[in-house]
Amino acid sequence: MAKFDLDLFVIGGGSGGVRAGRLAASLGKRVAIAEEYRFGGTCVIRGCVPKKLFVYASQFPEHFEDAAGYGWTVGQTRFDWPTLIANKDREIARLEGLYRKGLENAGARIIEGRAVLLDRHTVRVGDETLTAENILIATGGRPNPHEALPGHEHCIFSNEAFDLKELPRSIAIGGGGYIAVEFANIFHGLRIETTLVYRGKEILSRFDGDLRRGLHEAMEAKGIRILCHEVFEKVEKRPDGRLDAHLLSGGVETFDQIMLAIGRNPNTQDLGLEAAGVETGIRGEILVDDYSRTNVENIWAIGDVTDRVQLTPVAIHEAMCFIETVFKGNPTRVDHQDIATAVFSQPEIGTVGLSEEEAARRFGELEIFRASFRPMRHTLAGRQDKMMMKLVVDAASRRVLGAHVLGPDAGEMAQLLGIAVKARLTKDDFDRTMAIHPTAAEELVTMYQPTYRVRNGERV
Ligand code: NDP
């Protein structure tokens, strides 16, 4: 008789947990996976997927405007938020069904409920107790509630933004990262008066400076108000239900709604980690090694709960490395180098590798190739928005260290640029690549002369 009920117990049915559970089950392993809310996790239920659908929805007003230059007359338009919500809900229900079916077809047992570790091999869900040789924790994260802010309970977070009963007329968003920037553009596109309140000098702190400035200018040109070096000090609810935001600079401004997007915390509370002896870090994240193994030999953790890189494809990659390591006898380190990423702002950001600033800190001399131009599709539309492309090249080795795009379809481009940067291709490889004309992306292979050089951190 087997020593344990299961070969693998997965806690958390998000992108990482589902992938690991499905793959392990398809290898013939005895797998159970517990989820307390809905299968699909943040990405499918209240993250990437509904967000992208909202981005599409918010882009239509610009499409309607642009149509005139191409000869179209668009009749009266009207936006219906409940229709968008209902259609979005239908789509995520469909995706959730696919996640469940994938697990079932692979032979994994689905358990609905909150799992708690009783010891390093035992998990309890509801009335049931199961033992497993290996346990994988993939419980994800949740918005930072910003409890230090007086009145934070009046604010909404990304979770609520996906299911608002009705759209506000005005909103202020606190934060300057992915979520704050993406939602600022969504709300603005849906014709809501939008203000972004960011504590630092410039939004998107870890991105290339040209992308940050370029996006800031483009957002302001559209009519999004961006307050940098600014924070909420207090939020108060008025008798009419609106919210007064007291700002660090001294002013008080009134908004229909305030959304906070100041990072996400790992979901490690009340999981029984102490009972199992699993160590966590300062933010509550589960500490793991390069293979996603915790300090307890048979307990592993992947995805946002480890607070390494909070991105869905990273969680999935970590799941696949876990399967190789634990069930295929092929110990595989997780590779977090050169992760291509997109911010679905409007205009979009697509980026991979080092920013100019980061590269300047690490390399002696850089060649920077940068182009800024009006994409063809904007010409007849009469739209003035510029597109920006930038390659950061190590002058000594000619290796392309970073590739950055601001403009339509930047995320799609970054996916492919990611292969080039990952493969450590050189600028000469880019130069030898034939352009596709007419595209915007052709600019990436036709920037032959450096725009400027960076030596010892200085532009020359
Ligand atoms: P981010 O880490 O991207 O941004 C957090 C923002 O909040 C930063 O601007 C940060 O400022 C600011 N901030 C942090 N603490 C405070 C504070 N106490 N007071 C005021 N401002 C504060 O987190 P998000 O919440 O935007 O998103 C969470 C994660 O989800 C992201 O890291 C990303 O990995 C993922 N995500 C990815 C998306 C994508 O791939 N397109 C889309 C949405 C989310 P500062 O920069 O100065 O530290």
Side-chain angles (χ1 to χ4, degrees):
M1 203 175 122
K3 197 168 165 206
F4 300 104
D5 301 327
L6 299 162
D7 298 309
L8 175 66
F9 194 104
V10 182
I11 307 180
S15 306
V18 167
R19 179 63 62 98
R22 182 166 62 73
L23 290 182
S26 66
L27 291 171
K29 303 295 171 193
R30 297 165 306 152
V31 178
I33 177 165
E35 167 58 50
E36 65 175 339
Y37 182 51
R38 293 179 67 181
F39 279 86
T42 301
C43 171
V44 174
I45 309 298
R46 44 198 181 188
C48 325
V49 172
K51 180 273 308 288
K52 189 89 188 265
L53 297 173
F54 282 11
V55 170
Y56 288 136
S58 68
Q59 286 171 334
F60 279 92
E62 285 196 357
H63 296 328
F64 298 145
E65 279 169 29
D66 291 355
Y70 286 92
W72 288 94
T73 302
V74 178
Q76 185 136 39
T77 59
R78 203 178 76 81
F79 174 66
D80 186 52
W81 174 249
T83 301
L84 175 62
I85 295 291
N87 291 344
K88 177 266 291 179
D89 286 344
R90 196 171 322 116
E91 176 58 9
I92 62 175
R94 185 183 73 84
L95 294 174
E96 184 184 5
L98 291 177
Y99 268 65
R100 283 171 170 271
K101 202 184 267 171
L103 285 164
E104 283 163 0
N105 290 348
R109 182 179 160 206
I110 289 178
I111 304 180
E112 294 183 40
R114 183 172 174 80
V116 177
L117 292 163
L118 298 184
D119 62 40
R120 56 180 287 192
H121 284 293
T122 314
V123 182
R124 181 167 45 76
V125 194
D127 297 336
E128 194 175 9
T129 301
L130 288 161
T131 58
E133 182 167 5
N134 287 287
I135 293 171
L136 178 68
I137 304 171
T139 47
R142 62 182 185 290
N144 175 350
H146 203 4
E147 278 158 357
L149 173 71
H152 66 94
E153 66 277 10
H154 304 308
C155 303
I156 61 164
F157 297 85
S158 55
N159 287 354
E160 292 78 34
F162 286 114
D163 291 298
L164 292 174
K165 290 272 171 291
E166 55 185 48
L167 283 180
R169 270 161 305 143
S170 66
I171 191 162
I173 305 178
Y178 282 86
I179 296 179
V181 166
E182 291 182 342
F183 267 98
N185 284 279
I186 289 169
F187 286 134
H188 171 78
L190 297 179
R191 297 294 177 255
I192 296 165
E193 217 177 275
T194 305
T195 303
L196 192 66
V197 175
Y198 173 53
R199 68 176 174 182
K201 190 168 166 223
E202 186 55 278
I203 56 172
L204 292 176
S205 57
R206 290 178 295 274
F207 288 74
D208 182 88
D210 281 324
L211 291 178
R212 299 167 67 189
R213 281 183 293 277
L215 179 62
H216 183 140
E217 283 166 19
M219 285 170 64
E220 277 190 337
K222 280 176 197 287
I224 300 172
R225 201 166 147 238
I226 303 181
L227 309 178
C228 288
H229 288 307
E230 187 65 279
V231 287
F232 298 121
E233 288 228 297
K234 186 165 64 168
V235 173
E236 283 177 329
K237 196 163 200 160
R238 296 156 44 111
D240 64 1
R242 302 184 80 210
L243 300 174
D244 279 342
H246 295 250
L247 299 169
L248 178 70
S249 58
V252 180
E253 298 204 14
T254 307
F255 302 97
D256 282 356
Q257 215 134 45
I258 296 179
M259 171 171 161
L260 299 176
I262 60 159
R264 294 175 56 85
N265 297 341
N267 272 332
T268 46
Q269 274 177 344
D270 305 324
L271 255 185
L273 294 179
E274 308 75 20
V278 175
E279 281 174 9
T280 52
I282 194 160
R283 300 188 58 239
E285 76 279 14
I286 296 183
L287 301 173
V288 289
D289 67 10
D290 291 349
Y291 301 91
S292 302
R293 191 195 289 259
T294 70
N295 62 306
V296 180
E297 207 188 0
N298 69 303
I299 302 184
W300 310 72
I302 56 170
D304 288 3
V305 75
T306 64
D307 199 20
R308 286 175 283 183
V309 182
Q310 296 182 0
L311 295 171
T312 293
V314 174
I316 292 172
H317 172 76
E318 288 166 359
M320 296 191 344
C321 293
F322 161 78
I323 292 292
E324 288 293 322
T325 303
V326 179
F327 294 117
K328 290 191 169 177
N330 175 30
T332 305
R333 279 197 167 86
V334 178
D335 178 359
H336 289 116
Q337 275 289 309
D338 295 327
I339 297 169
T341 180
V343 182
F344 294 101
S345 44
Q346 300 167 42
E348 198 166 292
I349 279 180
T351 180
V352 59
L354 299 182
S355 64
E356 179 185 327
E357 296 77 9
E358 187 59 35
R361 278 193 283 274
R362 297 203 215 162
F363 290 81
E365 183 168 333
L366 304 174
E367 288 179 350
I368 307 293
F369 299 80
R370 192 179 62 191
S372 178
F373 57 96
R374 199 147 77 110
M376 193 186 212
R377 75 150 100 159
H378 290 350
T379 52
L380 296 198
R383 192 167 287 287
Q384 297 308 316
D385 300 19
K386 291 267 181 68
M387 184 146 192
M388 204 229 9
M389 297 191 177
K390 180 171 175 182
L391 297 177
V392 177
V393 176
D394 171 29
S397 66
R398 306 277 296 146
R399 186 153 75 85
V400 177
L401 304 170
H404 312 287
V405 181
L406 174 69
D409 304 321
E412 305 287 343
M413 291 179 212
Q415 182 65 83
L416 304 179
L417 286 166
I419 303 171
V421 171
K422 193 82 193 156
R424 304 169 74 86
L425 297 188
T426 64
K427 182 63 172 63
D428 306 312
D429 295 315
F430 277 61
D431 291 347
R432 285 190 292 112
T433 302
M434 203 69 84
I436 301 175
H437 186 72
T439 62
E442 68 183 298
E443 207 68 31
L444 289 163
V445 294
T446 54
M447 294 187 285
Y448 298 113
Q449 293 303 322
T451 314
Y452 55 89
R453 289 167 187 275
V454 177
R455 204 170 290 139
N456 302 323
E458 299 288 327
R459 286 188 183 186
V460 289

